[in-house]
Amino acid sequence: MPKIKIDGGHELSGTITISGAKNSVVALIPAAILCDETVTISNVPNITDVDDLENILVHLNAKITRSPGKVEINSSDIINKEITETLSKKLRASYYFMGALLGKFNKVDMYFPGGCSIGARPINLHLKGFELLGAKITEEENHFIIEAEKLRGNNIYLDFPSVGATINIMLAAVKARGKTVIDNAAQEPEIVNIATFLNNMGAKIRGAGTSTITIIGVKYLHSCFHEVIPDRIEAGTYLVIASLLGQELKIDNMIPSHLEALIAKLTEAGVEMDIGLDNIVIHEPKDYHGIDIKTLVYPGFATDLQQIMAPFLTQCKGRSTIEETIYENRFQNLPELDKMGANTQIRKDNRKATIRGKTPLKGTEVTATDLRGGASLLVAALIAEGVTTIDNISYILRGYDQIVEKLTAVGAKIEII
Ligand code: UD1
């Protein structure tokens, strides 16, 4: 099994260019099958989640052509058959085929999705939405058949503004008869990106990016060209790295307004940065002090970035806390950071952690337990003294495009062994 080996403590300078957003592209690719013609998606990151979605498209007999940074998808000859358990379980985002196939064929047959074990992650809100659109759900263990004679628009209130449920219901509703209104919808930038893609095909979606999304069903979706937005979590990861090691390090091709909560918290800790239109430059690290972080839905502090902040907080003087309100099991990276010399405590209910700093970190052998937890270890390894090897790196490669190349280019000593 490959591992990542990092010789830490090297300053980083130059430019890191941010790739297309993982959480956007993993919904755009399933959404593409709703199109009645060919669609082209650009700024596609080279991550294994995209490979896994390609395998599902091939299994369904869709035509997908990939070239660097681009995919073309034509679903004219798609065969709506069961998506096997192995394919469904490869990634979380396989569940977007539920909304997309239901929207296109009024039927989908697949299994419970995979993804990082960071909490229970039920899909009850997705299913509730499908039912309100007129679908019948047959669920046996982790196998789902969801079908409808006809999908009809309805008013759907989400008990929680779930990203996945909001997108999945949009996908199912886009060709349904009449008007669907999603209330308490998630407002993440990725949702706006998916809605824009569907609108570019001729869909009628209004209000994406607010808590009320209205969808008027249409019969036909035509060809379009669409660009994936920059990955705010990747940009946030490199911004944290730059805060710790950057010497004139520029994070480029990003949207700073998507990262307001992170920028506010880094600034509170003492980070100084120059924010441009589509980039942020960190001139040099400063002395930092402890801060409190609480994860919330967008535009609050992203849960995907709290794990990345943990190694940063080990370098802040005093006591810091992280409160995780979205997932039940998102501190698995902390015991691994402790192996490197961090001083962390997790509250018994697993919802709050305390990090005391500043503690020097030392290279050792650690294991990634999930995607962002793995990235958290990678940040720690970059600042640690000596060599760190990170095991289970397939988690990291699922979400970070060319991470080894990008860090090497700015001066990190990092390799896959
Ligand atoms: C997406 C992102 C993930 C990010 C998360 C929150 C993708 C592929 N993944 O995940 O990186 O961490 O948003 O920003 O885009 N919930 C329910 N019932 C449901 C659906 C969700 O109870 O039917 C709960 C979940 O268990 C969780 C919370 O709602 O506690 C948030 O989940 P959700 O927003 O749906 O996250 P994902 O779409 O899975």
Side-chain angles (χ1 to χ4, degrees):
M1 281 296 239
K3 298 181 183 188
I4 286 181
K5 181 177 158 194
I6 294 176
D7 180 17
H10 297 279
E11 288 176 351
L12 306 178
S13 54
T15 300
I16 295 177
T17 304
I18 299 308
S19 301
K22 165 188 164 287
N23 287 350
S24 235
V25 78
V26 296
L28 291 170
I29 292 175
I33 68 169
L34 283 161
C35 183
D36 298 290
E37 300 170 11
T38 301
V39 290
T40 307
I41 306 171
S42 71
N43 201 28
V44 174
N46 190 9
I47 51 175
T48 54
D49 266 11
V50 171
D51 304 336
D52 292 333
L53 290 170
E54 178 178 358
N55 290 337
I56 296 178
L57 285 180
V58 169
H59 170 80
L60 295 173
N61 205 42
K63 283 191 190 70
I64 171 161
T65 316
R66 269 175 88 177
S67 49
K70 206 158 127 187
V71 293
E72 260 180 34
I73 298 167
N74 182 298
S75 306
S76 315
D77 297 326
I78 207 165
I79 300 166
N80 187 23
K81 58 179 172 176
E82 179 197 89
I83 301 176
T84 63
E85 187 164 15
T86 314
L87 288 169
S88 304
K89 279 197 155 160
K90 276 278 178 190
L91 75 168
R92 182 78 188 156
S94 65
Y95 61 20
Y96 290 130
F97 281 101
M98 285 184 172
L101 285 170
L102 185 64
K104 191 173 179 91
F105 296 111
N106 290 344
K107 181 176 178 188
V108 56
D109 180 347
M110 68 175 284
Y111 289 80
F112 196 82
C116 293
S117 320
I118 49 178
R121 308 187 88 177
I123 57 166
N124 57 311
L125 299 174
H126 305 229
L127 300 178
K128 174 184 154 183
F130 298 149
E131 277 178 333
L132 284 168
L133 294 175
K136 184 174 150 273
I137 296 163
T138 314
E139 181 183 347
E140 237 174 72
E141 293 197 11
N142 58 350
H143 179 233
F144 293 86
I145 297 177
I146 307 168
E147 53 191 329
E149 240 167 62
K150 225 177 218 142
L151 292 170
R152 282 202 173 80
N154 204 345
N155 291 347
I156 301 169
Y157 171 78
L158 295 179
D159 298 317
F160 183 88
S162 151
V163 173
T166 302
I167 295 178
N168 239 339
I169 295 167
M170 278 194 327
L171 298 178
V174 87
K175 283 184 163 179
R177 244 167 92 177
K179 177 167 141 186
T180 298
V181 179
I182 310 174
D183 268 317
N184 200 26
Q187 302 179 39
E188 271 71 359
E190 291 74 24
I191 289 166
V192 181
N193 200 218
I194 313 311
T196 308
F197 178 51
L198 293 166
N199 284 343
N200 285 346
M201 288 184 210
K204 288 190 177 152
I205 304 175
R206 300 292 176 262
T210 76
S211 61
T212 303
I213 300 178
T214 305
I215 304 147
I216 311 283
V218 295
K219 287 208 170 108
Y220 190 86
L221 293 174
H222 55 73
S223 157
C224 79
F225 178 88
H226 186 74
E227 195 169 307
V228 184
I229 52 168
D231 195 311
R232 64 196 163 96
I233 308 300
E234 188 200 16
T237 304
Y238 289 122
L239 194 55
V240 171
I241 292 172
S243 303
L244 295 165
L245 292 163
Q247 292 286 343
E248 303 303 322
L249 185 59
K250 185 185 204 178
I251 316 302
D252 205 6
N253 188 40
M254 61 175 293
I255 301 175
S257 62
H258 288 174
L259 280 172
E260 268 172 12
L262 175 71
I263 291 169
K265 283 307 200 180
L266 288 174
T267 306
E268 190 184 322
V271 176
E272 290 177 15
M273 58 184 97
D274 276 342
I275 303 175
L277 270 183
D278 66 348
N279 64 70
I280 294 181
V281 179
I282 300 235
H283 301 289
E284 58 178 358
K286 304 279 180 195
D287 288 330
Y288 303 136
H289 52 83
I291 51 168
D292 299 312
I293 290 170
K294 183 174 179 177
T295 65
L296 288 169
V297 296
Y298 190 85
F301 195 96
T303 168
D304 283 356
L305 285 170
Q306 67 86 343
Q307 288 173 298
I308 314 292
M309 278 299 270
F312 173 84
L313 298 178
T314 69
Q315 302 309 301
C316 293
K317 200 169 162 205
R319 179 176 180 271
S320 294
T321 59
I322 302 175
E323 189 176 348
E324 172 58 58
T325 73
I326 312 290
Y327 291 112
E328 302 88 354
N329 191 20
R330 217 164 190 187
F331 288 127
Q332 297 169 83
N333 55 321
L334 296 187
E336 296 299 301
L337 289 180
D338 286 348
K339 287 186 197 166
M340 301 177 74
N343 177 358
T344 76
Q345 274 98 40
I346 305 170
R347 203 169 68 183
K348 269 203 187 107
D349 66 1
N350 233 353
R351 288 298 201 161
K352 196 164 181 178
T354 303
I355 299 179
R356 287 189 172 78
K358 172 179 182 176
T359 50
L361 300 183
K362 268 210 155 76
T364 185
E365 284 180 21
V366 288
T367 302
T369 51
D370 56 84
L371 165 56
R372 306 300 169 189
S376 159
L377 302 178
L378 192 137
V379 175
L382 288 169
I383 54 174
E385 188 196 321
V387 174
T388 303
T389 48
I390 307 175
D391 206 351
N392 264 357
I393 61 165
S394 56
Y395 281 121
I396 302 174
L397 302 179
R398 273 170 54 178
Y400 287 90
D401 182 10
Q402 299 180 70
I403 189 160
V404 170
E405 294 81 352
K406 288 186 186 187
L407 284 168
T408 302
V410 293
K413 304 284 172 262
I414 172 171
E415 57 180 327
I416 293 189
I417 52 167

